[in-house]
Amino acid sequence: MAAAPVRQRSGSGSLRAQLPPCYYEGYLEKRGPKEKASRRLWTCLCGNSLYFFNNAKDTHYVEKLDLSGSVSLKDDCSRDRNLEAARLILRMKDGETKLTAPNLESRELWKGFFYSVIDLNVPSCLTLLPGQLQMLKEVVDKERSRRRSRNPARAPPSPLSVPLVGEIPACFRPVSRTEAEVLLERHPDCGNMVLRPGRDGCSLAVTTRQDLNGSVFRHYRVTQRDQGGYVIDVENPIPCATLHDVIDALVEKTAGTLQPFLLEEPYEENITYVSANDENGERILHSAPSSPLPKAPALPPKQDRWSTSPLPRSPAPDRRILTSSVPASPTNPMRRLIHSPSPLTQSFNDELKMKLEKRRAS
C-alpha cells in the first residue's frame, strides 16, 4: 500500500486527534540505529515529527521520531529484495534511521515533506510535479502558523534583538542552541564555532562542536560590560574589547582547534532569464551567453569647425626662388609681383632717391 492522501480522523477523544496536524501518511519500512531488522509501519508526518503505527487503523502510535533533531537526509543506493523499493537514510544525533519507500516516486515525495517541515522551505533540489510542489508550499505555511500559535510569546532570535556593539563577526548566526548544534553537525567542514544570541535576549553565546566518539557540544555565555567590551563567562572570565576579540580568544585558548563557522552560500555561475514564445505562449528558461559582447567600432574624433589648433606651418620660402628668373609669361602673377612694381612703390622709391641725393649735396 503506497502513501495515501491525508484524511480526517474521527473521534476527538482518540489519541490521534491530540497529535499535530497530519501532512502526509503511508507505509514505510523502518530500521532504527539499535534495531536488527526493518519493520513495516504506517507512518504519519504530524507537525515536524514522524509517528509510527502498526497499521492504518490504530489510534496509539508505537514510536515517535522528532525531525527537529535531524542532521542530514540522503538516499541509500544499496539493493533491496524488492527491486522497486527505494531506501532513505535519516541521520539523527543518536544514530541513523533507515526508511524504505515502496518506489522512487514515493521516496522523493517523502523527502519533500521532510525538508518542508525541517527547513520550513519548499526544496528546489527534488524532482516533483507542480501539484506536489504546491502541496508542499501549503504544508510550509501550515507548519509556520502552527509553530507561531504554539509559541506566541517567543520571537525568533535575531541580531536586532541583541545589543551588539561594533562589527559583527562572520560566524554570527541568529539561531537557537539546538539550531546551532544542527548547523555545526550538518556542515563539519565549515568550522566548529558559532556565535549566536543567548536565551535571555540580553547576552550572547558561543556554541562549539568537536568529535570524541561522536559529537561533543559546548556552550559559552558572552555578556556585554557596562563600561564597554565583552566578557566570556568562564571560571576565569576573559575580557575582550570586541566580538572579534571573543572569537580570537577562543581560537587562541584552544590552539586553533576551534575555528569560526563560515558557511559559503551557493551562487549562480551563469546568467539565466525567462522568455515567452510568441506563438504558443510557452515560457522557457534561457542561459545568457558567457562570452563578452563585441564592442562597437569607435568613431573617429569629430573635427571642430572653429577649432583654435594651429594650422601646419609651411616651410619657409627660399629667397633664391623669389629672386630667380621667372619664365616669360604675361599671365604669370609672380612675374608681375617681382619685375613689375606697383606705381605706389615706384613713387616711394623715387622720393627716397631724391632725399638721398639732396643729403649728399648738402
Side-chain angles (χ1 to χ4, degrees), residues 44-56:
C44 297
L45 177 63
C46 301
N48 60 340
S49 299
L50 288 176
Y51 294 85
F52 298 96
F53 301 83
N54 287 323
N55 54 66

Side-chain angles (χ1 to χ4, degrees), residues 121-143:
N121 192 17
V122 178
S124 58
C125 58
L126 303 179
T127 306
L128 298 173
L129 299 175
Q132 294 172 335
L133 294 175
Q134 179 62 29
M135 185 166 50
L136 296 182
K137 184 179 181 301
E138 296 176 358
V139 168
V140 171
D141 296 338
K142 292 179 181 179
E143 181 63 14

Side-chain angles (χ1 to χ4, degrees), residues 135-240:
M135 185 166 50
L136 296 182
K137 184 179 181 301
E138 296 176 358
V139 168
V140 171
D141 296 338
K142 292 179 181 179
E143 181 63 14
R144 285 177 177 172
S145 301
R146 185 186 73 87
R147 295 187 188 183
R148 283 196 298 265
S149 62
R150 186 182 58 179
N151 300 317
R154 181 180 177 183
S158 65
L160 300 178
S161 63
V162 181
L164 302 180
V165 177
E167 186 179 356
I168 303 175
C171 62
F172 177 83
R173 292 277 169 168
V175 295
S176 63
R177 173 182 286 215
T178 303
E179 292 171 337
E181 293 179 358
V182 174
L183 194 64
L184 293 174
E185 188 83 19
R186 286 182 178 177
H187 307 280
D189 298 333
C190 298
N192 55 2
M193 177 169 51
V194 169
L195 178 66
R196 59 177 179 82
R199 288 184 175 179
D200 55 3
C202 300
S203 63
L204 295 166
V206 175
T207 298
T208 65
R209 173 192 174 273
Q210 299 180 72
D211 286 321
L212 182 62
N213 298 326
S215 297
V216 177
F217 296 99
R218 292 291 182 268
H219 308 275
Y220 304 94
R221 183 189 298 273
V222 179
T223 57
Q224 185 176 348
R225 298 189 298 180
D226 296 335
Q227 62 271 25
Y230 298 87
V231 174
I232 304 176
D233 290 337
V234 289
E235 185 176 0
N236 295 321
I238 304 175
C240 301

